[in-house]
């Protein structure tokens, strides 16, 4: 069976972009793939954080992944820092990627330029190497991600190919899987930028958000003044974003859905309803899981043991090929 791997940072509240851009696909792919999913807590250290909040976010995110539909019996679900091979392989990756390649990563440019960012950690610059390690440690065939992660999967492929050509066949070269609708969910107030964990507010819809607030946010979503419902990302980013969200939440096609609407009001109302119906069972399941964190911790430990068994073999292969003595 082909293998799928993906990760998500416990760096803030899970939002609709994470859900439609990545997690819906994670759930789908666990049926017919050997699936490995990870809460990438080490990546969350790249920006300033509160330790207590990180601990809480990590366990909550694992519970949310289960609530969304990841089944720890079928997929391997674990926390990155529980498998020590991740940072170990990351060093080999750092020595295989160039300064120039890392400098071209748009996520680094965006995050290091954010208002108020005074301290830019070295980890923020090098984290694509850790991300490459995350993916390559599992002989991954496919990586389901949102469109914003396209560049990071590309650099992972480049690193794998370079390593293989320098040191002999070591890594599987992975491909990204980006969903047709919802690949880039935009902020409802600023449809020119992606919905984001770090931009909480009227433009971000969280998976655990109160439904009245969800309705209000869609009602107030920024559109434009010409009143025509048409899927055209360049000319009509706000309306196109609503159509993409509706398509992502209902499994439809954003271009075809536009034909059902002549006014923005009904489009906003239907999109809110579709999102609420998507969130309802997730919120219910999350509330049950939240009552028993010890059980989630147990499941994560089982997942980490399974992940480590695979990662140890791949790391040993990479160390041998690169010329390190096995200890
Ligand atoms: N807006 C989005 N639309 C579609 N997919 C998205 N993803 C993230 N935002 C959108 C996808 O979600 C997965 C997890 O990514 P992440 O952990 O990097 O989450 P993030 O929301 O991008 O959060 P960050 O990086 O902590 O902060 P911000 O948001 O401030 O940049 C990935 O597959 C991603 O593609």
């Amino acid at each position: 069976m082909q293998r799928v791997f993906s990760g998500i940072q416990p760096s803030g509240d899970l939002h609709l972009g994470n859900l439609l851009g990545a997690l819906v696909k994670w759930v789908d792919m666990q049926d017919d793939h050997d699936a490995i999913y990870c809460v990438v807590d080490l990546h969350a250290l790249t920006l300033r954080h509160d330790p207590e909040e990180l601990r809480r976010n990590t366990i909550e995110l694992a519970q949310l992944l289960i609530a969304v539909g990841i089944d720890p019996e079928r997929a391997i679900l674990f926390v990155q820092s529980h498998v020590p091979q991740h940072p170990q392989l990351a060093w080999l990756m750092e020595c295989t990627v160039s300064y120039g390649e890392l400098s071209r990563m748009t996520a680094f440019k965006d995050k290091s330029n954010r208002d108020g960012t005074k301290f830019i950690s070295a980890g923020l610059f090098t984290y694509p190497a850790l991300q490459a390690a995350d993916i390559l440690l599992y002989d991954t065939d496919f990586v389901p991600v949102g469109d914003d992660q396209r560049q990071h999967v590309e650099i992972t492929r480049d690193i794998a190919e370079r390593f293989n050509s320098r040191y002999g066949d070591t890594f599987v070269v992975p491909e990204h899987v980006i969903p047709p609708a919802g690949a880039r969910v935009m902020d409802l107030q600023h449809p020119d930028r992606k919905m984001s964990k770090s931009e909480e507010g009227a433009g971000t819809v969280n998976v655990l958000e109160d439904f009245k607030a969800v309705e209000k946010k869609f009602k107030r979503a920024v559109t434009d003044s010409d009143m025509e419902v048409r899927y055209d990302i360049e000319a009509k980013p706000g309306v196109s974003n609503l159509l993409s969200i509706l398509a992502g939440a209902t499994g439809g096609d954003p271009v075809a859905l536009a034909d059902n609407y002549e006014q923005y009001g009904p489009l906003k109302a239907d999109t809110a309803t579709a999102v609420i119906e998507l969130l309802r069972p997730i919120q219910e399941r999350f509330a049950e899981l939240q009552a028993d964190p010890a059980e989630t911790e147990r499941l994560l430990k089982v997942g980490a043991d399974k992940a480590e068994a695979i990662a140890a073999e791949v790391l040993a292969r990479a160390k041998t090929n690169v010329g390190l003595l096995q200890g």
Side-chain angles (χ1 to χ4, degrees):
M1 214 188 285
Q2 288 188 299
R3 181 163 289 154
V4 35
F5 174 92
S6 200
I8 181 160
Q9 299 192 55
S11 51
D13 294 330
L14 195 74
H15 56 75
L16 197 57
N18 301 131
L19 185 63
L20 297 179
L23 302 184
V24 166
K25 207 73 200 148
W26 291 20
V27 173
D28 261 13
M29 292 186 90
Q30 71 184 343
D31 290 333
D32 44 10
H33 293 79
D34 186 6
I36 305 182
Y37 299 129
C38 182
V39 177
V40 288
D41 54 348
L42 297 174
H43 289 281
L45 306 182
T46 54
L47 298 175
R48 286 294 294 273
H49 71 283
D50 173 60
E52 198 43 57
E53 212 172 292
L54 177 60
R55 270 188 281 275
R56 195 178 53 246
N57 281 346
T58 303
I59 194 81
E60 275 193 12
L61 182 54
Q63 290 170 332
L64 269 168
L65 295 178
I66 298 171
V68 164
I70 304 300
D71 175 1
E73 301 286 327
R74 277 187 292 163
I76 296 178
L77 176 66
F78 71 104
V79 175
Q80 183 188 30
S81 65
H82 294 174
V83 178
Q85 286 78 8
H86 286 248
Q88 290 176 29
L89 185 65
W91 179 249
L92 273 60
M93 305 288 94
E94 280 187 46
C95 297
T96 312
V97 70
S98 71
Y99 176 83
E101 285 170 314
L102 291 175
S103 310
R104 287 193 287 277
M105 294 296 107
T106 51
F108 172 72
K109 290 186 208 162
D110 287 351
K111 290 189 179 178
S112 57
N113 280 327
R114 270 184 195 159
D115 298 346
T117 305
K118 294 197 182 73
F119 176 83
I120 300 166
S121 73
L124 186 62
F125 186 66
T126 60
Y127 89 86
L130 176 59
Q131 194 172 347
D134 301 335
I135 297 168
L136 299 181
L137 265 179
Y138 298 97
D139 288 337
T140 301
D141 298 293
F142 299 111
V143 190
V145 282
D147 189 58
D148 60 315
Q149 288 295 327
R150 188 187 290 269
Q151 202 185 20
H152 288 162
V153 181
E154 283 303 324
I155 202 173
T156 299
R157 289 170 58 82
D158 293 344
I159 293 172
E161 281 167 358
R162 187 172 302 139
F163 196 102
N164 287 349
S165 87
R166 284 184 183 170
Y167 309 115
D169 211 17
T170 309
F171 296 119
V172 172
V173 180
E175 282 173 35
H176 55 58
V177 178
I178 294 179
R184 186 173 280 268
V185 175
M186 309 308 277
D187 187 289
L188 298 182
Q189 289 300 313
H190 302 276
D192 54 328
R193 65 183 191 220
K194 73 163 191 144
M195 193 176 282
S196 174
K197 289 193 190 111
S198 51
E199 303 287 344
E200 284 188 15
T204 303
V205 175
N206 290 324
V207 171
L208 292 179
E209 192 138 358
D210 170 80
F211 296 151
K212 280 270 166 270
V214 174
E215 257 174 19
K216 204 172 187 182
K217 284 183 177 179
F218 278 104
K219 208 173 206 168
R220 295 188 178 166
V222 165
T223 45
D224 54 52
S225 53
D226 82 5
M227 301 309 282
E228 188 197 355
V229 179
R230 171 163 57 87
Y231 186 74
D232 178 342
I233 293 177
E234 290 297 313
K236 300 178 76 73
V239 176
S240 302
N241 190 34
L242 292 172
L243 288 165
S244 290
I245 293 172
L246 181 60
T250 58
D253 170 62
V255 179
L257 282 169
D259 294 341
N260 300 340
Y261 298 95
E262 282 172 0
Q263 288 177 319
Y264 296 157
L267 170 63
K268 288 179 173 181
D270 284 1
T271 308
T273 304
V275 168
I276 288 168
E277 290 319 311
L278 185 69
L279 301 186
R280 190 187 305 280
I282 299 173
Q283 294 192 2
E284 285 168 5
R285 180 85 179 99
F286 176 75
E288 290 163 17
L289 291 161
Q290 217 185 9
D292 190 359
E295 173 59 7
T296 310
E297 280 165 20
R298 187 192 69 79
L299 291 169
L300 290 173
K301 168 88 178 67
V302 171
D305 290 345
K306 288 187 198 160
E308 187 164 359
I310 303 168
E313 257 185 49
V314 179
L315 178 66
R317 190 197 306 154
K319 284 171 79 174
T320 301
N321 290 359
V322 83
L324 298 173
L325 295 181
Q326 294 293 340

